[in-house]
Amino acid sequence: MTALRVLETNLLFASDLIVWLDGTSATDPAQMQRINSTVSVLFDNTRPADLRWRHGEGKTALWRRASARIVPGEAGDADRQALPEIPYTLSGSVSDNPGKYNPRRFEILAGNAQGHSLVMYPTPSGTAIGRGGALRGNLRFAADSAPAVWAILTLTVDLGVAGSLLFRAQADRHGDFVLPMQRLPPLPQGVVNYAATLSVRALADAAADTPLDPADLTDMQLGRLNAAGFAAAIDLTVLPGQYALIRSQGRDHVAVQPI
């Protein structure tokens, strides 16, 4: 049998990896699931000129052409070690191809295969509603009834002696939201509902045609559901399995205003 002679080895080193996570799947990003679709990313022109990328389901791999090298013969262990890379700022906007997730802006310091986890949130039509149920509605600013686009809602459910659970969702370009409670357990015996509070982060000048980075949102007040006035966190009750429409008192939407 003739031995295979390796004339040269082409080495290509990973620069970094972005993992796109479903923000409704868990509270802690370390426990969130990857989104189940391939993304499209529009990188800003400030990216390195030699940057290359490939998108997979729930992930984006990055590499630099300048780091590739050709080694005569078969590469040894030392040849396979990537050289230190000068970190670079990478920013842009991301959306998923099927349109099940809201688009978003992002900015990371990439390089040296550090790895980055960035959260995306499903659109109302892309939200999976399990046995825990969900809340739905529409967010609008009290001053002019403009939709509170891209706002992030946080629901804190009091489980009594078992502690509390957090659930999050994002309004879409129309201010519509579906907030799933997939991990909400059945009611304990003798308990008729769970007490909860709802809060929101938004931007008054956000535009429906311009995705934003959720980190840029600021705390808002919400119109109470069963009383007049606004609060930073409004009280409500939730039931496992219920798909409930919520509205501020006297309105056909949930009212939002800056603090």
Side-chain angles (χ1 to χ4, degrees):
M1 181 176 178
T2 304
L4 180 63
R5 183 185 177 190
V6 179
L7 298 179
E8 62 183 23
T9 305
N10 188 3
L11 297 171
L12 185 65
F13 298 94
S15 175
D16 220 326
L17 177 71
I18 304 174
V19 176
W20 308 102
L21 301 176
D22 186 325
T24 64
S25 61
T27 303
D28 184 353
Q31 299 176 348
M32 289 180 184
Q33 301 172 0
R34 292 184 185 182
I35 70 171
N36 57 2
S37 55
T38 301
V39 298
S40 294
V41 180
L42 180 61
F43 292 111
D44 294 340
N45 291 333
T46 53
R47 71 178 186 272
D50 67 334
L51 183 70
R52 297 294 181 267
W53 57 88
R54 177 168 294 177
H55 305 305
E57 190 172 280
K59 61 185 178 182
T60 296
L62 308 170
W63 68 93
R64 306 283 296 275
R65 290 185 63 183
S67 66
R69 60 180 184 263
I70 297 176
V71 176
E74 186 173 356
D77 291 339
D79 297 318
R80 293 188 175 93
Q81 299 301 311
L83 298 176
E85 183 179 9
I86 298 175
Y88 52 95
T89 299
L90 187 63
S91 59
S93 59
V94 58
S95 60
D96 74 306
N97 292 332
K100 296 188 298 182
Y101 288 84
N102 288 319
R104 61 159 290 174
R105 289 279 305 171
F106 67 91
E107 182 176 308
I108 61 173
L109 188 63
N112 294 303
Q114 294 297 307
H116 301 268
S117 297
L118 297 178
V119 177
M120 301 178 69
Y121 291 90
T123 63
S125 61
T127 300
I129 302 172
R131 295 180 179 179
L135 302 177
R136 63 186 178 94
N138 178 261
L139 293 175
R140 291 186 174 271
F141 286 101
D144 58 6
S145 295
V149 301
W150 315 128
I152 300 290
L153 302 99
T154 300
L155 180 72
T156 304
V157 181
D158 183 2
L159 301 180
V161 296
S164 62
L165 280 176
L166 292 181
F167 302 94
R168 289 192 176 92
Q170 185 177 34
D172 67 6
R173 65 180 66 249
H174 307 292
D176 295 327
F177 68 88
V178 173
L179 197 162
M181 302 177 289
Q182 297 172 339
R183 293 165 282 114
L184 189 64
L187 290 169
Q189 186 173 1
V191 177
V192 296
N193 55 45
Y194 288 120
T197 58
L198 182 67
S199 60
V200 68
R201 293 171 59 84
L203 278 182
D205 58 353
D209 58 354
T210 306
L212 49 74
D213 188 331
D216 295 333
L217 300 173
T218 60
D219 293 333
M220 296 280 164
Q221 290 184 325
L222 291 173
R224 292 185 174 93
L225 305 185
N226 301 310
F230 287 77
I234 59 173
D235 297 323
L236 67 159
T237 58
V238 295
L239 291 171
Q242 185 180 39
Y243 187 41
L245 173 65
I246 60 173
R247 297 170 173 172
S248 296
Q249 181 170 280
R251 305 175 189 260
D252 64 356
H253 56 270
V254 179
V256 179
Q257 69 178 18
I259 293 178

